[in-house]
Amino acid sequence: MILGRLFGGGETPRASSIAVVRNVTVGRQVRLDPLAWRALEGTRFQLDRDTLEITAQGLIKLDEGGYVHRFYTDDELMLQAVSQNPDGSDADDFTLFQPWTSTYPANRSDRELFLQRLSQPTWDEAGLARFDRYWYEGDDRPQPPVQLWEAVYYERDAAPVRHIRQSCMLYARQLPAGEELLLALAMEPEGGDYTHEIMIGLAVGPGEFTA
């Protein structure tokens, strides 16, 4: 399942030519099979188009040796792939996320409260049903958020334009015929603003998109 291997920290990848994952990379279009989400009942995930213009690409190197590849549109839709190889050639777990909320913490106390929420076994968000923690499945004790560094690229052969430190946790809830995911993140770009991000997503099969 997508994101199932995202435990532990991550380190910033070296600047290099970024991966092309199933023909997806920055500067290309991704065409989605609309049945991938429109056939699901009960999800709050909704898109008004079937084509994604990829304008940025992220890369996370995990301490355990895996890689997370993220492909972004200008309106911050995110197609994510997880692989063991840095070129993404073995990627077979994909998720499509869309933003739900993005907020600035009011103060330090607000930041600490959000990090405490990331440690809890359930997540309650306004307008959404309750989600159960996907990572640490079966463990109802508080657990530390996953710490990651993401390098973001605007061009395939250029250096990353920024690095983003993330504290995150993945949650899920069952639908009648599938699963909906919620990714909660505290994000701090180098030289940028600290924000709290909530994204909802659905798993996408390799046969449900082309590029």
Side-chain angles (χ1 to χ4, degrees), residues 104 149-150 152 161-166 186-197:
Y104 295 98
W149 275 98
E150 180 175 1
V152 179
V161 294
R162 64 180 181 272
H163 296 87
I164 305 173
R165 181 179 179 86
Q166 304 170 22
M187 298 178 58
E188 187 172 16
E190 290 181 335
D193 294 324
Y194 190 103
T195 62
H196 296 158
E197 309 289 337

Side-chain angles (χ1 to χ4, degrees), residues 131-206:
F131 284 76
D132 296 317
R133 189 168 60 200
Y134 183 81
W135 294 329
Y136 306 101
E137 185 178 8
D139 188 340
D140 291 336
R141 298 172 299 176
Q143 296 290 348
V146 174
Q147 305 293 325
L148 302 172
W149 275 98
E150 180 175 1
V152 179
Y153 301 78
Y154 288 162
E155 299 178 27
R156 286 198 59 211
D157 297 313
V161 294
R162 64 180 181 272
H163 296 87
I164 305 173
R165 181 179 179 86
Q166 304 170 22
S167 300
C168 58
M169 190 63 74
L170 182 69
Y171 297 82
R173 71 180 185 96
Q174 293 299 315
L175 301 175
E179 192 173 49
E180 185 176 57
L181 301 174
L182 181 147
L183 183 62
L185 308 98
M187 298 178 58
E188 187 172 16
E190 290 181 335
D193 294 324
Y194 190 103
T195 62
H196 296 158
E197 309 289 337
I198 304 297
M199 307 186 80
I200 56 173
L202 300 173
V204 180

Side-chain angles (χ1 to χ4, degrees), residues 74-92:
D74 281 343
D75 55 351
E76 298 182 346
L77 292 171
M78 180 178 79
L79 177 64
Q80 178 172 278
V82 179
S83 70
Q84 290 299 306
N85 295 326
D87 63 2
S89 58
D90 62 336
D92 59 2

Side-chain angles (χ1 to χ4, degrees), residues 57-161:
Q57 185 165 337
L59 177 62
I60 298 167
K61 185 179 185 301
L62 304 176
D63 285 346
E64 64 186 41
Y67 295 84
V68 181
H69 310 269
R70 290 174 170 175
F71 307 94
Y72 296 96
T73 65
D74 281 343
D75 55 351
E76 298 182 346
L77 292 171
M78 180 178 79
L79 177 64
Q80 178 172 278
V82 179
S83 70
Q84 290 299 306
N85 295 326
D87 63 2
S89 58
D90 62 336
D92 59 2
D93 288 339
F94 300 89
T95 305
L96 183 62
F97 285 99
Q98 64 179 180
W100 181 257
T101 63
S102 178
T103 59
Y104 295 98
N107 48 43
R108 182 174 180 178
S109 178
D110 196 14
R111 290 172 59 158
E112 292 176 351
L113 179 60
F114 190 85
L115 292 175
Q116 291 175 11
R117 291 183 67 197
L118 288 177
S119 301
Q120 300 307 308
T122 60
W123 189 277
D124 292 297
E125 188 69 25
L128 297 174
R130 171 170 288 186
F131 284 76
D132 296 317
R133 189 168 60 200
Y134 183 81
W135 294 329
Y136 306 101
E137 185 178 8
D139 188 340
D140 291 336
R141 298 172 299 176
Q143 296 290 348
V146 174
Q147 305 293 325
L148 302 172
W149 275 98
E150 180 175 1
V152 179
Y153 301 78
Y154 288 162
E155 299 178 27
R156 286 198 59 211
D157 297 313
V161 294

Side-chain angles (χ1 to χ4, degrees), residues 2-21:
I2 186 67
L3 293 174
R5 295 190 291 272
L6 293 187
F7 286 97
E11 62 185 55
T12 302
R14 291 177 174 268
S16 62
S17 180
I18 52 180
V20 180
V21 182

